Structures are given as structure tokens and as C-alpha cells.
Amino acid sequence: MGYPTELMRSSFYLMSARVISLALSFFFTVVLARYLNVDDFGKLIVILTFLSFFSLVTDFGLNRFIILKVSRKSELTEKYGIHIIFLRALLSLLAFGLMLVVIRLMGYSQQIFGLICIAGLILMPSSISLTIDALFQAKERMG
């Protein structure tokens, strides 16, 4: 199989995954908006907003860095993978701590604080997953 065919196949997998992800997000948002009352839906949006904002702290362009470096020299996969997973784990802890401080400073209720603590546990696994995804993209092995 030639390079153009692999490129088309990989692009198809990436675009398909993105479209499916967006469609599911839209669907679940509509369902939740329909079944939750206004207060509960507002709490959900606050939690998701905090998670989205503080998940940016765990990225800092590391995906693009991994893809660029590993695609040029595949022998660096293990070196960069391990180091960036460790860095992202540290950044996740930092983001989680910052998120909790900001929530406290903004005076949110104890319930919102607790819910964000629970939801914030996704930061580290998510950031590690993004690193692995970037390594697969760099190796062009997505399907």
C-alpha cells in the first residue's frame, strides 16, 4: 500500500473519530439539557467549563511536539513518550490543584467543589491518553 493510500486512510480515521465524538457530545448535551433542571444543568456546565479550561494546562502544545519529533525519528518514541507522559502527569496534578484553588477563591458551594474534585480526576488519564494518541499519529498507525 502506497503512502497516499495510508495518508487517506489515516485521515479518514482521524476525521471519523472527531465527527463521532462531536456528534455524541451534542447528543448527550441535548439529552442532559432535557432531563436536568436548570440548576443542575448549570452546575454541569460549570464543571465542564472548569475541566475544559484547566485541561489546557496539561497540553501546552505537547501533542504537536511529539508528532513532529517522533515522525522524523521513530527511535525517539520511547524516550519522548515516557518523558512527556511524566510531564503531563505533573501538569495534571498542577492543573487539578490550580482548579481547586480557583474554585475556592470564586466562592462556589461545597457541592460544586466536591463535584469538580470528582470530575477533575479525569485530567491525568485524559492527558496520558492524548500522549499515546499523539504517538500513534506520529507513527501513522491509527487503523
Side-chain angles (χ1 to χ4, degrees):
M1 189 165 23
Y3 182 74
T5 307
E6 286 183 38
L7 179 65
M8 293 290 287
R9 186 182 61 160
S10 296
S11 297
F12 172 76
Y13 285 128
L14 286 174
M15 286 188 294
S16 297
R18 183 72 177 147
V19 167
I20 291 169
S21 175
L22 288 172
L24 286 173
S25 294
F26 176 76
F27 172 75
F28 284 117
T29 302
V30 169
V31 169
L32 286 170
R34 181 157 172 82
Y35 288 104
L36 293 176
N37 63 35
V38 173
D39 289 337
D40 290 340
F41 188 72
K43 290 174 186 175
L44 175 67
I45 295 302
V46 166
I47 292 166
L48 292 177
T49 301
F50 269 100
L51 283 177
S52 296
F53 182 74
F54 284 96
S55 69
L56 295 174
V57 174
T58 67
D59 187 21
F60 285 125
L62 291 174
N63 275 359
R64 291 178 191 217
F65 176 78
I66 292 171
I67 292 169
L68 179 69
K69 293 294 183 178
V70 172
S71 66
R72 289 184 180 165
K73 290 187 175 181
S74 64
E75 64 270 8
L76 297 174
T77 302
E78 187 176 337
K79 177 183 174 186
Y80 281 119
I82 291 170
H83 286 92
I84 291 184
I85 286 174
F86 180 73
L87 177 62
R88 279 204 160 149
L90 289 177
L91 289 171
S92 297
L93 292 174
L94 175 69
F96 187 72
L98 284 172
M99 186 170 59
L100 298 181
V101 168
V102 169
I103 293 163
R104 279 292 184 213
L105 291 174
M106 293 181 77
Y108 281 101
S109 70
Q110 191 65 27
Q111 181 188 26
I112 294 288
F113 182 80
L115 291 172
I116 289 179
C117 285
I118 293 168
L121 296 175
I122 194 69
L123 287 174
M124 190 178 299
S126 175
S127 66
I128 291 171
S129 171
L130 289 173
T131 304
I132 294 168
D133 184 50
L135 289 170
F136 275 111
Q137 287 182 38
K139 294 281 202 165
E140 297 180 1
R141 288 188 172 86
M142 292 161 285

